[in-house]
């Protein structure tokens, strides 16, 4: 069985979504291996893999030799990276992974993108810094060694819009480790309620109340959305974390990948998102809009490095405002390549979380 390694695969967000989907694949054709900074097994992994068949392999991402040794030892065919270093080392980590994959003879490599279309990586500072030179290194490796490379893009995670839908899983924190693992086991790696709805999305969105939401906060009956240069509501491509996992698991079976592998859960105009939410809740949302010019003004007033996260979210809004295919809007070529994967639409997701 071919081996797929997931760098950063311990995460409760994308790492879990990919691992669970690969293990849930009907024929279990691929064997996953997780690369991590330590060999600690997260509770969700212990829940779905009680026998420890999915190894968690400790690597030093700052050492190409450490990465390539691990990949060679486990005879890795495909390397997917979802690793995200927030300490300033993301660019080095990404470049070392390409080099390590290349040295180890990995046949397919996916750098850590998993966001808006690649156009956004030219304009959003933190994303640009993390990705600087990475795709060029991938293309070089592809030319020189035949290692196939692809950037998987999926739009904004839909799970941001489920934040606050369920009572906080506080009780979970009172659980013993074994009780938590049992809860996760019953839900196939996701504990019922908040965890299953949010699917591990980071609560780091920029809504004014500090809830961690982005664009929409149904629980607070409010929305903060950008307008396009013409004053209309832009479209927004969005996918649940678990659907990203399902598409990637299906894409592993494809013989060839395109350089940009775009996954679309749904593409919805922001005013439609607001109306859907209002219809579900039976209440109006207080909607605050922001023009591209005001976004530029706010960005200009930020103070670095303190406002680094604010900059990220404002720049993301500025990209969404452009209403551009290949940026905030994606053309789902992976959906066409894997037509048997049926993603959850925005309406379905919101209905499941909020009604
Ligand atoms: N589309 C969207 O809306 C959206 C939103 C957020 C993120 N993303 C993208 O999705 C991907 C995963 O993001 P995420 O938020 O799920 O990531 P995350 O959970 O913050 O991090 C993923 C993994 O990276 C590893 N990691 C963390 N710090 C590290 C460091 N300093 N050095 C090396 N590894 C480190 C950790 O694994 P170990 O501790 O096991 O080493 C962690 O589990 C990224 O490409 C990110 O840009 C997309």
């Amino acid at each position: 069985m071919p081996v797929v390694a997931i760098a950063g695969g311990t995460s409760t967000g994308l790492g879990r979504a990919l691992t669970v989907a690969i293990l849930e694949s009907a024929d279990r054709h691929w064997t996953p291996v997780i690369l991590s900074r330590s060999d600690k097994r997260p509770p969700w992994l212990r829940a779905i893999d009680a026998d420890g068949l999915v190894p968690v392999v400790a690597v030093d991402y700052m050492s190409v030799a450490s990465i390539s040794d691990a990949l060679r030892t486990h005879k890795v065919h495909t390397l997917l990276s979802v690793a995200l270093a927030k300490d300033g080392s993301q660019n080095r980590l990404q470049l070392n992974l390409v080099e390590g994959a290349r040295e180890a003879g990995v046949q397919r490599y996916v750098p850590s993108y998993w966001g808006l279309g690649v156009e956004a990586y030219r304009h959003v500072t933190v994303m640009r810094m993390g990705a600087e030179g990475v795709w060029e290194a991938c293309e070089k490796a592809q030319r020189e060694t035949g290692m196939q490379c692809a950037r998987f893009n999926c739009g904004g995670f839909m799970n941001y819009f489920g934040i606050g839908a369920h009572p906080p899983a506080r009780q979970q924190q009172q659980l013993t480790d074994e009780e938590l693992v049992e809860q996760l086991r019953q839900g196939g790696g996701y504990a019922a309620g908040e965890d299953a709805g949010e699917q591990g999305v980071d609560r780091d969105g920029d809504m004014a109340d500090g809830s961690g939401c982005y664009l929409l906060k149904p629980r607070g009956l409010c929305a903060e959305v950008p307008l396009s240069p013409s004053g209309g509501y832009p479209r927004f491509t969005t996918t649940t974390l678990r659907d990203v996992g399902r598409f990637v698991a299906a894409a592993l079976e494809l013989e060839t990948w395109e350089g940009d592998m775009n996954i679309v859960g749904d593409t919805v105009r922001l005013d439609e998102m607001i109306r859907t939410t209002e219809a579900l809740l039976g209440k109006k949302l207080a909607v605050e809009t922001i023009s591209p010019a005001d976004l530029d003004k706010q960005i200009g007033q930020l103070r670095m490095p303190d406002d680094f996260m604010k900059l990220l979210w404002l720049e993301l809004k500025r990209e969404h405002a452009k209403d551009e295919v290949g940026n905030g809007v994606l053309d789902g070529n992976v959906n066409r390549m894997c037509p048997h994967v049926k993603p959850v639409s925005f309406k379905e997701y919101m209905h499941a979380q909020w009604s």
Side-chain angles (χ1 to χ4, degrees), residues 81 90-98 109 111-113 130-131 134:
S81 174
Q90 178 69 357
N91 191 242
R92 180 42 49 207
L93 173 151
Q94 295 246 64
L95 292 168
N96 285 356
L97 278 169
V98 185
Y109 175 61
S112 194
Y113 276 70
V134 172

Side-chain angles (χ1 to χ4, degrees), residues 10-11 36-37 82 84-87 93 112-114 155 157 202:
T10 55
S11 72
S36 167
R37 288 166 298 166
V82 300
L84 183 62
K86 295 175 181 159
D87 57 3
L93 173 151
S112 194
Y113 276 70
W114 312 105
F157 293 148
D202 276 340

Side-chain angles (χ1 to χ4, degrees), residues 6-36:
I6 306 164
T10 55
S11 72
T12 52
L14 214 38
R16 174 168 56 165
L18 297 181
T19 311
V20 167
I22 292 165
L23 291 176
E24 276 181 352
S25 297
D27 56 1
R28 281 232 183 171
H29 183 211
W30 289 82
T31 301
V33 168
I34 289 175
L35 305 188
S36 167

Side-chain angles (χ1 to χ4, degrees), residues 5 28 41 54 57 69 77 92 137 161 186 190 192 197-198 234 262 282 293 298 303 322 330 338:
R28 281 232 183 171
R41 300 172 67 76
V54 179
V57 181
D69 281 354
H77 174 284
R92 180 42 49 207
F161 310 123
Q186 284 174 17
Y190 292 83
E198 295 184 19
N262 299 318
Q298 285 192 18
R303 288 174 178 275
K322 292 177 184 167
L330 295 172
C338 307

